[in-house]
């Protein structure tokens, strides 16, 4: 396997940026071989603890991050399918290694901690030169500090493995670090009161209380339901190439995720409250239900990262309509065709034929198939909701707004109802200034992002309690009068807190272990 040039350790550029293309990352994938997802030979025998390297344990120093943008600088790489596949493979291996790191025959944790300090102090290029190019620690052993199993050295080949390790080193260098001064729910409430430019990143968990399913929750998510009825690859429903060849698959299943557009949740109301108080900078939503607009979030403060059902577009002529115009077809589980295409075809067929030239006589060929006659019959285009399918590009507005405006001005980030498993949204925390606090709100904790405070429970319950502690009144018909919340710390986790309604147990609105996630 040839190593893609951008991954070469010698010509390394800090943290090669993500593609603009929408891609899914399943950080909970059940992989073997130490979480690598690669089948290879057994790990070579090595004494990992004997390799200490030369690192000091001084405090982390500021490392400049020149030219780092969340979008990809080299769009033309999309034209090379082999490079794209290998790059996707690298990203996939690193995502799994980050979520489920290799844990056998690893470097001593104290050594790993010193290596990480060294990395953040010197930057990835100097670190790679010191430990890889000079060979202070054998590459398969050094890789264990970054979650990579030594067997990958043989499974992938030396050249590809070195590029993989270089990318892992860069990721670790730029991964967001927790701010130790923020830990409690009262810290979170104080930040809400004091900060003025709040970025809110939301996922499907803010809509589940309305009966709209999320996508990846175990047992209750849309993808799990598809698995139970026999679909081996549920994400194919939202694959653009599959839609082009077989739009009937999407239309046969999409009714289950079609929003009602009649009600928004208390969490949507909380985001509107931030706007009313002049604190909301931008709401980046991964949801496609368009309920943010229903709640009154201004379009200028809303980035629908994955599009929405609000509009639909003909794949043939580009005619755009309100999304509601195709809802009846979605509910009827039948493909919706473009009305304008139908009218144009009807007009062409009804046009006077006397001025049309007769087609040249065609010699009969016994090999002609009767079905070929249908090839010349004009067909209307298929209507596609303007949601971003896997394989489609995210709107440039997402990247431009995040990089050129929000990343420079934000002073607080709230991540609500998403487990951050879909890139490039999952990368956003790593591209913001290190001093900006991050608060996470969802039913289950995450570990692949270092949040400062994690508030665990139903999103609606958590924001009600946050608003109360901030001294704000959050009004919504779904919030019971005299609603009392119980806040409990999680053992051995001083920055994680469970929030639930008094007398309601740990979770309401269904399963006690359901996980709210994104698209």
């Amino acid at each position: 396997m040839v190593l893609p040039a951008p991954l070469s350790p010698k010509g390394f550029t800090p943290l090669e940026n993500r593609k603009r293309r929408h891609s899914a990352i399943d950080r909970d994938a059940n992989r073997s071989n130490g979480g690598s997802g690669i089948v290879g030979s057994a790990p070579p025998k090595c004494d990992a603890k004997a390799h200490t390297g030369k690192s000091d344990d001084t405090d982390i120093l500021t490392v400049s991050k020149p030219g780092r943008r969340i979008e990809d600088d080299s769009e033309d790489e999309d034209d090379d399918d082999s490079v794209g596949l290998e790059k996707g493979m690298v990203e996939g291996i690193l995502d799994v290694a980050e979520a489920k790191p290799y844990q056998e025959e690893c470097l001593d944790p104290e050594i790993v901690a010193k290596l990480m300090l060294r990395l953040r102090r010197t930057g990835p290029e100097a670190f790679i030169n010191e430990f890889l190019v000079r060979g202070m620690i054998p590459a398969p052993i050094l890789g264990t500090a970054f979650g990579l199993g030594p067997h990958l050295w043989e499974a992938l080949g030396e050249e590809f493995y070195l590029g993989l390790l270089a990318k892992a080193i860069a990721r670790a260098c730029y991964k967001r670090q927790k701010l130790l001064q923020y830990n409690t729910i009262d810290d979170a409430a104080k930040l809400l009161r004091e900060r003025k430019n709040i970025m809110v990143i939301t996922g499907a968990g803010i809509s589940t209380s309305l009966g709209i399913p999320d996508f990846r929750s175990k047992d209750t998510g849309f993808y799990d339901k598809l698995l139970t009825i026999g679909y081996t690859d549920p994400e194919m429903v939202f694959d653009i190439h599959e839609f082009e060849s077989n739009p009937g698959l999407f239309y046969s299943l999409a009714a289950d995720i079609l929003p009602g557009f009649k009600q928004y949740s208390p969490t949507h109301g909380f985001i509107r409250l931030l706007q009313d108080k002049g604190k909301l900078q931008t709401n980046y939503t991964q949801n496609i239900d368009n309920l943010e607009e229903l709640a009154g979030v201004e379009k200028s403060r809303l980035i629908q990262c994955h599009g929405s059902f609000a509009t639909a577009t003909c794949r043939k002529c580009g005619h755009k309509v309100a999304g509601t115009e195709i809802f009846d077809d979605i509910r009827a589980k039948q493909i919706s065709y473009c009305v304008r295409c139908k009218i144009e075809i009807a007009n062409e067929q009804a046009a006077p034929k006397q001025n049309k030239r007769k087609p040249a006589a065609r010699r009969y060929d016994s090999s002609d198939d009767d079905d070929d006659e249908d090839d010349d019959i004009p067909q209307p285009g298929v209507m596609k909701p303007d949601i971003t399918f896997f394989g489609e590009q995210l709107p440039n507005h997402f990247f431009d707004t995040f990089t050129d405006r929000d990343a420079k001005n934000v002073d607080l980030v709230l991540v609500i109802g998403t487990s951050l498993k879909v890139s490039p949204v999952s990368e956003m925390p790593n591209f913001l200034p290190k001093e900006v606090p991050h608060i996470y709100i969802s039913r289950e904790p995450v570990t692949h992002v270092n949040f400062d405070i994690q508030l665990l429970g139903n999103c609606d319950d958590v924001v009600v309690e946050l608003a109360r502690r901030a001294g704000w009144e959050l009004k919504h018909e779904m919030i019971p009068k005299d609603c009392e919340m119980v806040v409990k710390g999680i053992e051995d986790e001083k920055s994680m807190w469970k929030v639930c309604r008094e007398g309601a147990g740990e979770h309401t609105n269904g399963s006690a272990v359901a996980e709210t996630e994104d698209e």
Side-chain angles (χ1 to χ4, degrees), residues 277-295:
K277 290 187 172 294
K279 292 177 174 288
L280 178 65
Q281 179 158 295
T282 307
N283 177 194
Y284 288 84
T285 178
Q286 297 168 95
N287 296 342
I288 57 178
D289 52 34
N290 202 42
L291 295 180
E292 296 82 10
E293 283 199 26
L294 182 64

Side-chain angles (χ1 to χ4, degrees), residues 322-338:
T324 52
E325 292 192 20
I326 69 169
F327 281 7
D328 287 344
D329 287 330
I330 292 178
R331 294 188 181 102
K333 300 185 177 182
Q334 62 186 21
I335 298 174
S336 183
Y337 291 99
C338 177

Side-chain angles (χ1 to χ4, degrees), residues 261-264 272 290-297:
F261 294 108
K262 295 180 180 179
Q263 187 181 28
Y264 57 85
R272 167 64 187 271
N290 202 42
L291 295 180
E292 296 82 10
E293 283 199 26
L294 182 64
V297 177

Side-chain angles (χ1 to χ4, degrees), residues 351-358:
K353 299 181 180 180
Q354 60 269 24
N355 295 328
K356 293 185 178 180
R357 295 179 58 185
K358 276 190 173 184

Side-chain angles (χ1 to χ4, degrees), residues 169-448:
I169 289 169
R171 268 198 180 195
C173 180
Y174 294 119
K175 184 176 181 179
R176 182 183 188 276
Q177 300 301 301
K178 181 186 176 340
L179 301 175
L180 300 179
Q181 67 267 40
Y182 305 115
N183 296 289
T184 70
I185 189 170
D186 286 324
D187 291 337
K190 183 179 180 182
L191 286 168
L192 284 179
R193 290 193 303 268
E194 294 177 347
R195 300 303 165 107
K196 298 178 180 179
N197 300 309
I198 301 177
M199 178 188 296
V200 181
I201 302 172
T202 51
I206 72 170
S207 298
T208 52
S209 62
L210 303 172
I212 302 173
D214 60 18
F215 285 76
R216 293 184 177 82
S217 287
K218 183 176 176 55
D219 299 328
T220 61
F222 181 64
Y223 289 155
D224 246 27
K225 290 181 179 179
L226 294 186
L227 287 172
T228 61
I229 61 177
Y231 289 91
T232 56
D233 187 3
E235 287 184 356
M236 289 299 291
V237 176
F238 297 102
D239 181 273
I240 189 58
H241 303 294
E242 179 68 22
F243 185 87
E244 295 285 10
S245 62
N246 180 26
L249 174 62
F250 171 82
Y251 273 96
S252 68
L253 298 167
D256 287 347
I257 57 171
L258 193 65
F261 294 108
K262 295 180 180 179
Q263 187 181 28
Y264 57 85
S265 72
T267 306
H268 291 102
F270 175 76
I271 299 169
R272 167 64 187 271
L273 182 61
L274 291 177
Q275 176 181 282
D276 292 344
K277 290 187 172 294
K279 292 177 174 288
L280 178 65
Q281 179 158 295
T282 307
N283 177 194
Y284 288 84
T285 178
Q286 297 168 95
N287 296 342
I288 57 178
D289 52 34
N290 202 42
L291 295 180
E292 296 82 10
E293 283 199 26
L294 182 64
V297 177
E298 299 169 1
K299 288 186 177 181
S300 63
R301 301 181 185 276
L302 179 64
I303 301 293
Q304 294 173 313
C305 306
H306 301 159
S308 78
F309 275 106
T311 57
T313 303
C314 173
R315 297 295 290 174
K316 184 176 183 180
C317 74
H319 180 53
K320 189 181 292 289
V321 301
T324 52
E325 292 192 20
I326 69 169
F327 281 7
D328 287 344
D329 287 330
I330 292 178
R331 294 188 181 102
K333 300 185 177 182
Q334 62 186 21
I335 298 174
S336 183
Y337 291 99
C338 177
V339 173
R340 189 169 78 173
C341 283
K342 291 179 180 179
I343 292 173
E344 290 181 355
I345 291 171
N347 289 340
E348 287 181 4
Q349 293 175 341
K353 299 181 180 180
Q354 60 269 24
N355 295 328
K356 293 185 178 180
R357 295 179 58 185
K358 276 190 173 184
R362 182 182 176 189
R363 186 175 180 180
Y364 175 75
D365 187 343
S366 60
S367 65
D368 285 354
D369 193 326
D370 291 340
D371 291 340
D372 289 344
E373 295 177 6
D374 295 335
D375 294 341
D376 296 328
I377 299 176
Q379 298 292 326
V382 174
M383 299 300 296
K384 173 186 168 294
D386 290 332
I387 58 180
T388 305
F389 278 45
F390 295 122
E392 288 190 295
Q393 290 187 351
L394 269 68
N396 287 340
H397 186 45
F398 163 82
F399 297 96
D400 295 340
T401 303
F402 177 81
T403 302
D404 298 334
R405 185 188 74 183
D406 292 342
K408 298 175 182 178
N409 301 318
V410 62
D411 57 15
L412 176 63
V413 176
L414 302 181
V415 178
I416 311 178
T418 169
S419 57
L420 289 183
K421 289 186 178 179
V422 177
S423 68
V425 176
S426 59
E427 292 293 310
M428 292 172 71
N430 296 326
F431 284 83
L432 293 171
K434 63 180 183 179
E435 69 274 8
V436 176
H438 282 56
I439 300 170
Y440 181 72
I441 300 171
S442 197
R443 288 186 182 172
E444 299 295 328
V446 296
T447 57
H448 62 278

